[in-house]
Amino acid sequence: MTECKDTACPLVPRIEALERDSEHNKEAHKDFYSRLENSHTAVALIEERMSQIKADTEEIKEAVQEMKDKPAKRWDGIVEKAIWAIIAAVIAFLLARVGLV
């Protein structure tokens, strides 16, 4: 293989072009890895937000369930009071029949 010893070597422009490409590629790789790191950060942020949304959704579900159960609790309270009123009336009637009241 012949070596070029002067500046008129035909390979010099090719070597210089490859060195420029190498520098360009270094910058492109830095940019690529920077964008990759930014995407990792963005994914972590999205995961955190999803966790918060999930927690908020659970709270909302619990609140909705409480609101759904509230009328049933009221109805149960009304029925319980009505039963106690009937029992009290029956006891009062029986005591009146016996003559204690």
Side-chain angles (χ1 to χ4, degrees):
M1 177 175 251
T2 58
E3 292 183 19
C4 294
K5 295 188 183 192
D6 60 358
T7 58
C9 180
L11 296 177
V12 170
R14 178 76 175 137
I15 292 170
E16 289 172 350
L18 289 172
E19 287 175 350
R20 282 191 305 273
D21 284 347
S22 176
E23 287 300 316
H24 174 73
N25 288 340
K26 284 180 187 176
E27 293 300 318
H29 287 143
K30 284 180 186 176
D31 184 47
F32 172 77
Y33 285 114
S34 174
R35 288 181 183 186
L36 184 62
E37 181 63 31
N38 289 341
S39 70
H40 288 308
T41 304
V43 167
L45 181 62
I46 289 169
E47 287 176 348
E48 179 61 32
R49 287 181 180 167
M50 290 295 290
S51 295
Q52 185 61 43
I53 289 170
K54 184 179 178 183
D56 292 345
T57 302
E58 289 299 320
E59 288 179 25
I60 291 169
K61 280 182 175 179
E62 290 171 7
V64 167
Q65 189 61 42
E66 272 183 38
M67 286 192 282
K68 284 172 56 178
D69 292 342
K70 203 170 196 176
K73 288 179 183 175
R74 284 184 187 155
W75 179 250
D76 289 344
I78 291 170
V79 169
E80 182 181 352
K81 288 174 183 146
I83 290 171
W84 279 110
I86 292 170
I87 291 172
V90 169
I91 291 173
F93 175 75
L94 291 176
L95 289 175
R97 289 285 275 192
V98 175
L100 294 176
V101 179

